[in-house]
Structure formats: C-alpha cells, structure tokens
Amino acid sequence: MAATTHAGEHEGEHAGQGAAARRDLAVRAAVEQGLLDADPLTCLLDVAGIRASAAALTSAFANAVAPGTPVLHTFAVKAAPLVPVLRLLAGAGLGCEVASPGELALARAAGVPAGRTVLDSPAKTAADLREALALGIAVNADNAQELARLDALVGSGPASSPIGIRINPQTGAGTIGALSTATATSKFGVALRDPGAREWLVRAYRDRPWLTRLHVHSGSQGLPLPLIAEGVRELHALAEEINAAAGRRQVDTLDIGGGLPVNFASDEQTPTYAQYVAALREATPGLLDGSYGIVTEFGRSLLAKNGLVLARVEYTKTSGGRPIALTHAGVQVATRTAYAPAAWPVRILPYDAKGAPKTGAPVAQDIAGPACFAGDLLATARELPRLAPGDVIGVPDTGAYFFTAHYGYNSLPRPAVHGFAVSSAGVRFSLVRPAQSMSAIVAEAGGAFRDALL
C-alpha cells in the first residue's frame, strides 16, 4: 500500500536537492510511518534516482552516436531481479538482458517485449534456446557447442531471432578477480587470442548468414574505463574482419555489454555514462559512426546508488574494548561484503531513533549483522557517532546485487523492499516486494514434505 508522510515544512524545497537529500527525507519518513516497526530491516529504492540513471545512460549515447543509429539499452536483470524495477526501466526505454529461465520469466512478467530482450548465459539448455527462438528473443551463443545446437534449431533458413557469438577479448582482469570476465581463462565466450580462435570465428560467420551480431562483456567492478574500452575495440575490429571476409555487412549489431564500475566510497556518481562513451570514442572512433547498431547491458551502474538498506540497532556492547552495534542487516543482504569485505566495503550512515542523521564524536565500532558466524560484519572499527539501541543504520549504494540477491543463511527472511518518491506533498512509499513470511520460509524448506525421509 502506498502512503505519504510530510517530513517537514520545507520538504518541497528539499525534493530537488539531490539523491542524498531525498535519502535523508526517506529515512525519516520510513521511521515515522513505522516501516521498521514490524520488521527491523527494510530496503528502499529511489524512484527518481532510477529514472535519472536511465536518462543519463540513454542521453550519453544519444548525444554521441550518428543520427539514426539503432541503440537498445537493456538492464541486466541479475542486478535487481524485481518485476516493478524492470517495469519502471521499461517505461524509461530500457529492455532486459536475461541469463536464466527465471530472469526471462521476470522480464516477461514486467511486460518487456521479446524484441527488447537479450539472452546470455554460458550454460543455456536446448530448451532455453528453443524458447528464445520461438519468442524472437536475441541470443548470444557462448561457445562452439552451443553454436552447433543453434545450427540444429535454425537450419538453413533465416533465424527467427537476432543471433550472435560472445567473445572473450582476453584483455585482462581488474581488482576483483571473481568478477573479471575478460581474463585469459575466463569461462565466458570464445577466447579470442587462443590459437585458431579468430580464424574459427570468421569461418563460423561466413558459413552462417544468420549470425548477425557480435557480443562482448569486458566491463566489471574494479576495471578502469580504458581496459573496458579495449575489449570493445577488439569486438569492433573482429566485426570489421568478419564483414570483410563475408564481402557484405553481415554483422550489423555490436552488443558491447555493461559492467560500468560504481563508486561505493561517496555519493558522487563516477565514472559517468558520458565518460564511458568518451572512452569508447577515443578507443574505437568507428563504433559510434552508424555502421553498427549498438546493444548495452548495464546493471549495477543503473541501480546500485539508488538503493538503501535500513536496519534497527538491536543491541550494543563491547568486546575486547571495541564497541559493537548488533543490527538486523548482515550477510543476508550484503553477502559479498561479509565474505569479501576488502573488495566490497560499504558505507554506514548513522541515524537516531527518529530517523534524523546522528551526530557526535566518532568512535571506532563494529557494525554486525544477525547471522551466527563471526564474519557477519558490515564494517569493522568504523568511525561513527556512538550507536545506541533503537538507532537506525543506513547502508547506501545497495540497489544492485545486495538486498535484491538475498542469501538465506540462518533462514533469515527476505526483507521488504519499498520504492519511494519525494514531492511537495511528502514522501510516498510503494511496496515493491513484501517481507518473506515464516510460512513461506517453511514452505521453501520442504514443510509440506516433512515425512518424506521417514
């Protein structure tokens, strides 16, 4: 149910003052409306921020490509697999990039047309491929064996869907190895620099007139823009080589993936989409001249900075002389932070029990979650005003791959997610996903089959 709270006499003035101002208004309103009363953990999405991110992406490319160039921006569903989010982005002109039957089902539930959907995955089944072709969804084949499956499905006639092959340009890793998709031994795509691979790709396209796209995803968190752009440059060069060998413009669309890094250290949004496009133009001037249609697949950069985890401080204590704040936000909503804190540090925003930003002398303290293992920490020795029971912590930049990718450790329930919008009338919340009930947890754990092993 949507609701509105007046968060102050001058709220209309605050509404246009940026994401941080909207965030603080939303926290106060969430406390006033009791969003943390029944469940001491809830998550917020800034609707205006999401729209602004989508607009920044579309305008950056629109201002750079030659007039008339077909450009399709798709959202990587894995970053925030929530149907209302996909619906909101569809209204902003974005399609969906899906990597599983479940993600495809979410995109379809959001009303995203097949013609604005792209299927990627290194392990598509024959059934996945048949469904995509039947619906007219674009497919990027990952490897030679998958291409053989497509041969059998497509036959000698024209394909019912745009089809391409994903390459791995092998341009190198960033600072987070587990996310780097263009290493020498990455599991994704055809390894372009392996012996004979380039020649095989050219032959594969020459022999299959229905292969009309080429795909790369060289970006990821921890990669600098020049390295991401290098992968796209390799893609463009290969497309030119294929078309020269075919004697015609067979490859007509380049899917350049996504992976624009996000700044988790402050509220500043950097790098920007405009900076990304500038890096592409510098590395590959011909990419934007209208010779090829363009597809993008951004996820984290569209949603991360528009999400906020809110949690009550349940208890505080000291151990070994260090203060510890025990909260309800931990590994279940910030899995990567708990298991790889050096790679995925998060900011902690302290608020008092009324939802106002908390001030006071900074004290080094741990911010701990509710799970029963020692590493369930959001921050260690973080300098913050001394927290007390009943206070609220906010964890910003969590709109992608954090609370949208729940981890069910200790059978901790999925938290509620609310979208919020700030206007002169107040802060309006809309339920995006309800909190998971105890009965749903039991059902998911085989509750209906309790005697199955007796």
Side-chain angles (χ1 to χ4, degrees):
M1 177 180 292
T4 302
T5 282
H6 292 273
E9 183 180 352
H10 305 293
E11 189 175 44
E13 298 173 17
H14 294 309
Q17 293 180 4
R22 291 196 304 270
R23 181 180 62 215
D24 285 349
L25 287 170
V27 173
R28 183 185 289 274
V31 172
E32 291 177 354
Q33 291 191 27
L35 266 60
L36 290 169
D37 289 351
D39 297 297
L41 172 66
T42 196
C43 305
L44 304 182
L45 289 169
D46 181 355
V47 174
I50 295 172
R51 287 198 174 107
S53 294
L57 169 61
T58 55
S59 64
F61 276 84
N63 293 335
V65 299
T69 302
V71 179
L72 171 62
H73 298 293
T74 66
F75 174 67
V77 174
K78 56 185 168 289
L82 298 167
V83 170
V85 167
L86 308 185
R87 185 73 167 171
L88 175 63
L89 290 171
L94 274 63
C96 282
E97 183 265 340
V98 300
S100 71
E103 289 182 0
L104 176 56
L106 296 180
R108 298 185 71 188
V112 177
R116 301 184 67 78
T117 304
V118 178
L119 174 64
D120 293 317
S121 167
K124 307 179 199 70
T125 66
D128 296 339
L129 295 172
R130 278 194 296 270
E131 181 181 27
L133 295 177
L135 293 171
I137 290 169
V139 176
N140 289 316
D142 180 82
N143 54 68
Q145 293 172 5
E146 183 179 344
L147 186 60
R149 284 186 176 179
L150 286 166
D151 282 335
L153 293 170
V154 173
S156 58
S160 54
S161 300
I163 300 176
I165 297 176
R166 177 172 181 168
I167 65 162
N168 169 16
Q170 296 174 296
T171 45
T175 58
I176 306 176
L179 294 190
S180 298
T181 59
T183 64
T185 57
S186 171
K187 73 176 187 178
F188 294 105
V190 176
L192 187 60
R193 298 179 184 180
D194 279 12
R198 197 176 192 99
E199 294 78 8
W200 177 83
L201 282 162
V202 172
R203 286 198 309 274
Y205 275 80
R206 188 186 61 204
D207 295 343
R208 298 169 178 82
W210 42 267
L211 282 175
T212 59
R213 290 189 174 187
L214 201 59
H215 173 45
V216 72
H217 187 109
S218 59
S220 71
Q221 189 69 20
L223 254 70
L225 289 184
L227 192 56
I228 298 173
E230 184 182 342
V232 177
R233 184 178 66 221
E234 293 286 343
L235 183 80
H236 180 268
L238 179 60
E240 295 282 274
E241 184 176 343
I242 289 169
N243 287 346
R248 61 188 179 88
R249 187 170 170 267
Q250 179 174 335
V251 176
D252 59 23
T253 301
L254 300 180
D255 184 335
I256 61 175
L260 186 68
V262 168
N263 167 35
F264 288 96
S266 72
D267 285 329
E268 183 182 4
Q269 299 202 20
T270 181
T272 65
Y273 291 115
Q275 290 168 334
Y276 170 79
V277 170
L280 293 181
R281 184 190 288 112
E282 181 178 354
T284 313
L287 176 70
L288 306 174
D289 66 4
S291 299
Y292 296 94
I294 295 174
V295 177
T296 71
E297 302 174 354
F298 292 102
R300 179 182 292 106
S301 56
L302 285 163
L303 259 291
K305 299 197 80 67
N306 300 309
L308 177 71
V309 170
L310 280 184
R312 288 278 189 196
V313 176
E314 193 69 38
Y315 301 110
T316 56
K317 64 187 203 179
T318 61
S319 184
R322 178 179 293 170
I324 302 172
L326 295 163
T327 81
H328 293 273
V331 68
Q332 82 277 37
V333 291
T335 311
R336 290 172 173 174
T337 299
Y339 287 117
W344 296 102
V346 294
R347 290 184 288 151
I348 304 295
L349 305 178
Y351 297 89
D352 64 23
K354 294 183 179 180
K358 186 159 187 170
T359 59
V363 176
Q365 53 200 300
D366 291 354
I367 310 301
C372 289
F373 75 99
D376 187 27
L377 298 167
L378 295 181
T380 302
R382 187 67 57 86
E383 297 275 347
L384 298 167
R386 185 85 178 238
L387 293 168
D391 285 346
V392 175
I393 63 159
V395 189
D397 308 332
T398 48
Y401 298 108
F402 278 82
F403 59 80
T404 61
H406 182 77
Y407 177 47
Y409 195 93
N410 280 153
S411 295
L412 291 166
R414 286 187 291 271
V417 178
H418 299 266
F420 72 86
V422 179
S423 71
S424 58
V427 179
R428 184 175 185 269
F429 292 102
S430 299
L431 184 63
V432 171
R433 182 187 72 189
Q436 189 178 23
S437 67
M438 295 301 104
S439 60
I441 290 177
V442 171
E444 197 172 79
F449 310 96
R450 66 176 187 173
D451 293 333
L453 304 180
L454 299 181

